[in-house]
Amino acid sequence: MVLLLMGCGVQKNVDFKNEKQVRNQNSREMVGCVDEAKSFDSTHDFPYENMQAVSDEVYEVLKDAYGKMDFSVEFKGGNIEDNSEYIYAGLKRTEQEMKKIDEHFDPHEYIYYVFDMDGDSLPEICVWKYMTYIFKYDAEEDKVHLWHEIKSPWEQVFGTNKLGWNWEGVRCSMCRLDQNGDTVSGVCFMEEAAWSNGKETFLVTMPFDLSDDQKFVWTEKMENEAYYSREDDLFFFPVTKEQYQELTKRFYESETLTDQERKKVGYTYDELSGKKMCEQCTKMKAIYL
């Protein structure tokens, strides 16, 4: 089986669910270099049956890029006892802000992940129930602001400065954010079957890092082996199934670790408030933590 490796980079505030926002200076410069015969209106039009796996030389470039990608996971500052007063004050303001977002907000129906999300050594409060609202508390002004919002149940916090996405294995991504919540590096994977006559195809982005534009560099040989989708403004590289598994395995290892570590920094509303657990909080803890 031949699979596809999708090469791209990213802009700030990238939404991994919309790959049209994902760009890289190296790949953008290639648009005029790709053979017209390998340039298509969309991935729907790709000649899947005739695609050949990339050369060993190109695969080694891709493998090197994935080896440099940061898939590490760490939930820093997750001990709430170290910042109990700070967290309690932030929780009260967070509850007020959530009621502005949802007038029917019931704090007992949510899980709260409390850890240093932005890497500034102080904990943020991540309010989760299918979607996630990450609040940062300003003790001097005694108010919170919405630092980052995750609008999909498939995307989750993956530790300090990290977000991850897994839509039942069909689409996955992992990215690193800066202290402002802007995307600075990441990678994305997709499984395609609908537009390839039922043939299972996997699409994976070339890793990107905005903080180091020389970290992931395309080669001239990649120009000849890329398939370009004008609709997505993205380049694709066919690889074998074994190569695909090699490139993506560290992401899935990180996801498994994340699921374990995230529960350690998860709390119910009553736990954070220092109250006796109500029936609803007890239920939430039993199901999700």
Side-chain angles (χ1 to χ4, degrees), residues 134-228:
I134 304 174
F135 290 95
K136 185 173 182 61
Y137 177 59
D138 186 329
E140 291 186 2
E141 298 187 8
D142 189 26
K143 66 179 183 180
V144 297
H145 73 269
L146 185 60
W147 183 79
H148 197 90
E149 180 179 358
I150 300 175
K151 299 181 179 181
S152 169
W154 308 111
E155 189 171 22
Q156 289 267 17
V157 292
F158 261 47
T160 300
N161 295 119
K162 299 283 182 66
L163 298 179
W165 164 285
N166 188 338
W167 179 36
E168 298 183 350
V170 176
R171 179 172 298 199
C172 303
S173 71
M174 186 173 181
C175 68
R176 178 171 60 88
L177 309 178
D178 62 16
Q179 286 197 359
N180 297 317
D182 294 327
T183 303
V184 291
S185 68
V187 71
C188 178
F189 312 88
M190 293 175 57
E191 179 179 337
E192 169 58 48
W195 301 105
S196 55
N197 296 321
K199 178 184 177 182
E200 193 174 45
T201 306
F202 295 86
L203 311 176
V204 186
T205 63
M206 179 76 164
F208 65 88
D209 191 332
L210 294 177
S211 64
D212 183 356
D213 60 6
Q214 295 301 311
K215 189 172 184 178
F216 305 115
V217 180
W218 288 47
T219 65
E220 291 185 9
K221 192 171 180 60
M222 297 174 81
E223 299 173 8
N224 300 321
E225 303 188 23
Y227 289 82
Y228 178 61

Side-chain angles (χ1 to χ4, degrees), residues 237-248:
F237 300 87
V239 297
T240 66
K241 181 177 181 178
E242 291 73 20
Q243 290 170 339
Y244 171 81
Q245 292 174 336
E246 176 68 22
L247 294 173
T248 62

Side-chain angles (χ1 to χ4, degrees), residues 36-52:
E36 185 62 28
K38 288 190 174 183
S39 180
F40 300 87
D41 288 337
S42 74
T43 56
H44 306 172
D45 306 310
F46 279 1
Y48 293 102
E49 297 301 324
N50 299 322
M51 283 182 168
Q52 300 295 319

Side-chain angles (χ1 to χ4, degrees), residues 84-138:
S84 57
E85 293 185 6
Y86 178 88
I87 293 171
Y88 182 68
L91 180 64
K92 291 191 295 183
R93 296 292 176 252
T94 295
E95 183 177 353
Q96 294 171 355
E97 290 301 311
M98 284 299 299
K99 288 180 178 179
K100 295 178 183 178
I101 296 173
D102 179 3
E103 62 179 342
H104 302 295
F105 173 73
D106 180 350
H108 301 91
E109 295 181 351
Y110 287 74
I111 293 296
Y112 301 79
Y113 298 110
V114 182
F115 65 100
D116 180 14
M117 179 65 193
D118 68 353
D120 69 348
S121 299
L122 289 172
E124 278 66 54
I125 297 177
C126 308
V127 185
W128 176 85
K129 189 177 74 171
Y130 309 122
M131 294 186 289
T132 307
Y133 303 90
I134 304 174
F135 290 95
K136 185 173 182 61
Y137 177 59
D138 186 329

